[in-house]
Amino acid sequence: MTTRQPKKRMGAKEIAAALRSRIDNGAIERQLPPTRVLVEEFGTSPETLRQAVGILRAEGRVTSQQGKGVFVRRVEPIEFAMHRFERGDRRDDVESGIDDWKAAILELGRVPSQDTPTVSVERAPADIAKELGVEPGSFVVARRRTRRVDGDPFQLADSWFPTEVAFDTPLMDEEDVTMPGGILANIKNRQYAQTRKVDKLRAWVLTADQADRLGLPTGSTVPVLRHVRVGYNSAGKAVRCMVTIAPGDLNTLVYEIED
């Protein structure tokens, strides 16, 4: 007599893999089936299913809406031309409030928007202090923005300025400010206008605060790019350090190199 072995119960990782496959092949297009349906299908417990959904949420595959269910996170990535951004003949339009970043997104046929900037005076973290050439712990001005494409958060753009650059200028205003050539080219007799910029790009792990601003769960495993652009004036002084946090599934940063 042959004894039938009980079917092995699927773990959270295996269930997540099965659901991920269905999302990728289009079998699940918009919303995951209700919890009770998936629990019965996979022969698992509600807690194990929650863990599986948590894996997909950390990967940026799904989002949860209280009382409504779990939805597939479908976004179209952008190819952002960093070699054109803030260079040469900038695309700032004061009347419409379209700055160079928004203009670049419009050129892609997408809809740009930006959350109201927050401005604070705080002590510079060690890495920012190094880029700005100030002593660690020196007071600097931080101007933080969340940039959206088609309504979804695509990038965080946080700019840091020495206090002598930002004080008593529109950089202290918590509102979108558009000026031809950028704010630095229009303040304090142009002494802080950027004449040279240096870019640095590396992989990054989201902090809890950054994940929250991007609408991702703490501990998200979405690959992230950290782009740092340091601007210098004609005297060689660092006048701005802009740090852009760009989820890798949403952003391709493009550089065109000319001989």
Side-chain angles (χ1 to χ4, degrees):
M1 181 177 179
T2 302
T3 302
R4 177 176 295 179
Q5 296 295 321
K7 183 178 181 181
K8 182 181 178 182
R9 176 174 289 187
M10 296 177 68
K13 290 183 179 179
E14 295 170 300
I15 296 173
L19 293 174
R20 187 186 304 112
S21 176
R22 296 180 191 181
I23 292 171
D24 288 344
N25 65 27
I28 298 178
E29 294 185 348
R30 182 174 179 273
Q31 183 177 6
L32 268 62
T35 296
R36 58 178 177 76
V37 173
L38 293 176
V39 164
E40 181 177 350
E41 176 185 347
F42 290 111
T44 190
S45 67
E47 176 58 29
T48 300
L49 184 64
R50 279 193 291 271
Q51 293 173 8
V53 171
I55 292 172
L56 297 178
R57 189 182 300 112
E59 294 175 352
R61 299 282 188 139
V62 300
T63 59
S64 298
Q65 297 183 20
Q66 187 67 33
K68 294 184 178 181
V70 180
F71 294 83
V72 175
R73 178 173 173 261
R74 293 206 183 279
V75 290
E76 296 182 38
I78 60 173
E79 289 194 355
F80 194 78
M82 297 302 301
H83 58 282
R84 289 193 60 199
F85 180 48
E86 298 186 331
R87 291 193 62 215
D89 188 15
R90 288 180 50 143
R91 297 155 286 187
D92 305 302
D93 186 329
V94 178
E95 289 189 9
S96 66
I98 300 297
D99 62 9
D100 200 53
W101 182 83
K102 290 179 181 176
I105 300 302
L106 286 170
E107 289 177 357
L108 296 174
R110 310 290 288 275
V111 179
S113 59
Q114 184 170 270
D115 292 0
T116 301
T118 62
V119 179
S120 59
V121 179
E122 54 194 74
R123 295 189 183 276
D127 59 335
I128 300 299
K130 181 179 179 181
E131 299 292 1
L132 290 177
V134 301
E135 289 296 320
S138 299
F139 282 104
V140 294
V141 172
R143 186 176 176 87
R144 295 182 170 89
R145 297 165 293 178
T146 299
R147 288 172 165 164
R148 298 176 180 270
V149 177
D150 301 331
D152 295 316
F154 264 56
Q155 298 175 357
L156 305 179
D158 298 343
S159 294
W160 305 74
F161 305 88
T163 53
E164 67 267 25
V165 174
F167 279 1
D168 301 317
T169 77
L171 291 170
M172 302 302 296
D173 297 341
E174 290 192 324
E175 60 183 43
D176 275 343
V177 180
T178 303
M179 294 182 174
I183 298 175
L184 291 173
N186 291 273
I187 61 173
K188 300 186 177 181
N189 297 319
R190 293 182 55 85
Q191 62 178 309
Y192 298 125
Q194 299 173 99
T195 60
R196 181 172 67 94
K197 303 180 185 74
V198 176
D199 283 5
K200 300 179 182 181
L201 185 63
R202 62 177 290 192
W204 188 252
V205 176
L206 283 174
T207 66
D209 174 68
Q210 290 167 346
D212 182 63
R213 291 171 63 193
L214 287 166
L216 295 170
T218 300
S220 171
T221 58
V222 171
V224 177
L225 303 171
R226 183 179 189 261
H227 173 269
V228 175
R229 173 166 288 183
V230 182
Y232 299 85
N233 68 356
S234 59
K237 175 182 174 59
V239 295
R240 181 190 70 165
C241 176
M242 182 172 67
V243 179
T244 299
I245 301 297
D249 62 335
L250 302 180
N251 296 267
T252 297
L253 305 186
V254 178
Y255 286 87
E256 181 177 323
I257 309 300
E258 296 181 358
D259 291 336

